Amino acid sequence: MQISRPLFDQYTKPVLVGNGVAFTVLPIIVVSLRFYARRVARVAVGIDDWCIVVALVLCTAAGVVLILAAEIGGMGQHQQLGPGGELIHTAALTNYEKCRYINEILTTLNLGVIKISILLFYRRIFVVRPFKIASAVMMAIVACWAVSFTSAMAAQCSPVPYFWESFEIDYPKKCFEVQKMYQGLAYSDLVLDVLVLALPIPVIASLQLPWRTKIKIIDILLLGSVVLASGIARVTSFMQVVTFTNNNPEAFYIDTPYLTAGPLFWIFAENAIAIIGACLPTLAPLWTRQRLKQYRSGSYFKRVWPKSSLKSYDELPGPYRVTKHGEHASNRQLVGLGPATSVTADDVALEDRPRNGINVQTTLSSNYTR
């Protein structure tokens, strides 16, 4: 299949800079809303939230590097050649290769951080032991994947400066075959995204809930699946470059900043979209005000514990009583997909307690104040 050069014309400098700014700012806004939603729902900030902050820092750094690549590196522009059409090393080409090297490391590492953040978020919701084990195994796989590919990106040339001090046509001399590594990264990343997003579905399917409710829960969690679209776009863009390179190797090596702009942009966009997707399920309190009111009025207990006659916090016995130090919750926490509150369950009759692993999490404590 022949790939024409005009296909790459869409990655112009204004497009790259504009989208670089947009995909840098949007994750900052969404992560800020995530923390605001935690405050609105009176849910403690957890390790998953701090993990997404780390991802945001890496994504912001990658965005800055992408913009620099377009501004001072000639990304998306045709490479400058000598009088006879020969390759020459210019300051712009060196800047581009340096930015590309840094960006590949930042974005690859960040994809792993975002996946781990999503898994940690799942672990706050689903507390049954089989899921805890499965999610721990998946986190170990993701961590090994991220470390392996990030290390490979960092050490693809020896010595490292050879990456930006030489032409890409000379890479085989001191670099391993990067094209296969890029392919392996793109495809394995897409597979891991699917596995991570699908991980909680069996747990949800096993809950003693109506299927309509199960589907609603799955829909909320699958809001993060928007990252799959950007992952597919990145794979498509990369394969277009591979096809062009195989058919026109000489044309590729004399115009690298122009032809590789697409994959470099899409891996950054995937980072930004993944952060947004990871935060979407946590924003439920911001668009479910009615549910939040039910939480605060105590009607939540009538829905989760239908056999219980409890209607509000004032009627909760024993350790639920409000004191001047607030309402103490010693060792149980009620959690939910959206709004949540911490309460004790020690004095609630066993038959009135939730029967599925999505509601009661042990060994946590918090204080509820009005």
Side-chain angles (χ1 to χ4, degrees):
M1 180 179 65
Q2 293 288 331
I3 301 295
S4 62
R5 293 175 69 92
L7 180 68
F8 302 96
D9 288 342
Q10 56 189 309
Y11 303 106
T12 61
K13 178 180 176 180
V15 170
L16 292 170
V17 172
N19 282 279
V21 172
F23 281 119
T24 300
V25 173
L26 281 175
I28 295 175
I29 295 173
V30 175
V31 171
S32 299
L33 289 174
R34 176 177 180 145
F35 278 81
Y36 177 66
R38 293 297 194 205
R39 181 179 178 183
V40 167
R42 299 182 183 180
V43 177
V45 174
I47 188 172
D48 57 317
D49 301 308
W50 294 119
C51 192
I52 209 68
V53 170
V54 174
L56 178 63
V57 171
L58 292 173
C59 183
T60 302
V64 172
V65 173
L66 182 80
I67 294 170
L68 288 174
E71 288 288 351
I72 65 173
M75 179 182 178
Q77 303 170 50
H78 292 291
Q79 186 172 331
Q80 182 180 347
L81 301 175
E86 72 276 9
L87 287 169
I88 59 172
H89 245 300
T90 62
L93 180 61
T94 301
N95 290 336
Y96 174 73
E97 295 295 1
K98 286 181 178 180
C99 289
R100 184 160 71 102
Y101 177 78
I102 296 171
N103 213 305
E104 287 175 354
I105 294 174
L106 290 175
T107 52
T108 302
L109 175 62
N110 202 23
L111 289 174
V113 174
I114 296 168
K115 289 177 179 60
I116 290 175
S117 174
I118 294 173
L119 291 168
L120 290 170
F121 170 67
Y122 289 165
R123 287 169 67 88
R124 293 184 70 177
I125 300 171
F126 306 102
V127 297
V128 290
R129 181 173 174 79
F131 183 83
K132 288 285 191 179
I133 295 174
S135 59
V137 171
M138 183 58 70
M139 280 196 293
I141 293 173
V142 170
C144 291
W145 173 87
V147 170
S148 298
F149 275 104
T150 303
S151 301
M153 287 289 181
Q156 57 187 290
C157 292
S158 180
V160 171
Y162 192 81
F163 187 89
W164 56 81
E165 291 177 353
S166 62
F167 300 113
E168 194 155 341
I169 195 172
D170 297 324
Y171 280 3
K173 298 177 180 178
K174 295 187 178 181
C175 307
F176 54 78
E177 194 171 352
V178 295
Q179 192 177 99
K180 290 185 177 180
M181 179 184 68
Y182 293 154
Q183 283 181 290
L185 171 64
Y187 286 118
S188 60
D189 173 52
L190 203 55
V191 170
L192 282 178
D193 283 338
V194 173
L195 292 176
V196 169
L197 291 169
L199 191 64
I201 293 179
V203 180
I204 298 171
S206 67
L207 297 177
Q208 296 178 3
L209 294 171
W211 269 105
R212 180 178 296 180
T213 304
K214 294 179 183 180
I215 292 173
K216 287 181 180 179
I217 297 173
I218 293 173
D219 286 345
I220 292 173
L221 293 179
L222 288 184
L223 288 172
S225 62
V226 293
V227 69
L228 295 178
S230 58
I232 293 172
R234 176 163 70 98
V235 171
T236 302
S237 177
F238 176 73
M239 291 311 299
Q240 289 171 348
V241 175
V242 171
T243 303
F244 184 90
T245 304
N246 293 336
N247 293 328
N248 309 276
E250 293 182 0
F252 171 78
Y253 291 124
I254 64 172
D255 213 0
T256 303
Y258 170 75
L259 295 170
T260 58
L264 195 62
F265 164 75
W266 278 110
I267 192 172
F268 164 68
E270 184 181 3
N271 273 248
I273 294 172
I275 290 175
I276 294 171
C279 292
L280 286 179
T282 69
L283 304 184
L286 302 184
W287 60 70
T288 54
R289 294 285 181 174
Q290 186 59 36
R291 185 184 299 177
L292 192 58
K293 291 178 182 178
Q294 292 174 352
Y295 254 96
R296 290 171 177 170
S297 67
S299 61
Y300 175 83
F301 293 100
K302 291 186 289 184
R303 185 169 70 255
V304 177
W305 296 338
K307 293 183 180 181
S308 176
S309 60
L310 300 176
K311 297 181 180 179
S312 68
Y313 291 107
D314 294 333
E315 299 180 30
L316 296 175
Y320 296 98
R321 295 194 184 109
V322 179
T323 68
K324 64 180 181 179
H325 300 295
E327 186 176 13
H328 181 64
S330 62
N331 64 355
R332 302 261 180 175
Q333 182 183 39
L334 193 65
V335 299
L337 291 173
T341 186
S342 298
V343 298
T344 55
D346 296 335
D347 288 7
V348 178
L350 183 61
E351 64 271 15
D352 288 337
R353 296 182 185 179
R355 291 178 172 79
N356 57 61
I358 196 174
N359 287 324
V360 176
Q361 178 176 347
T362 59
T363 70
L364 292 179
S365 63
S366 179
N367 285 322
Y368 173 83
T369 57
R370 296 192 289 180

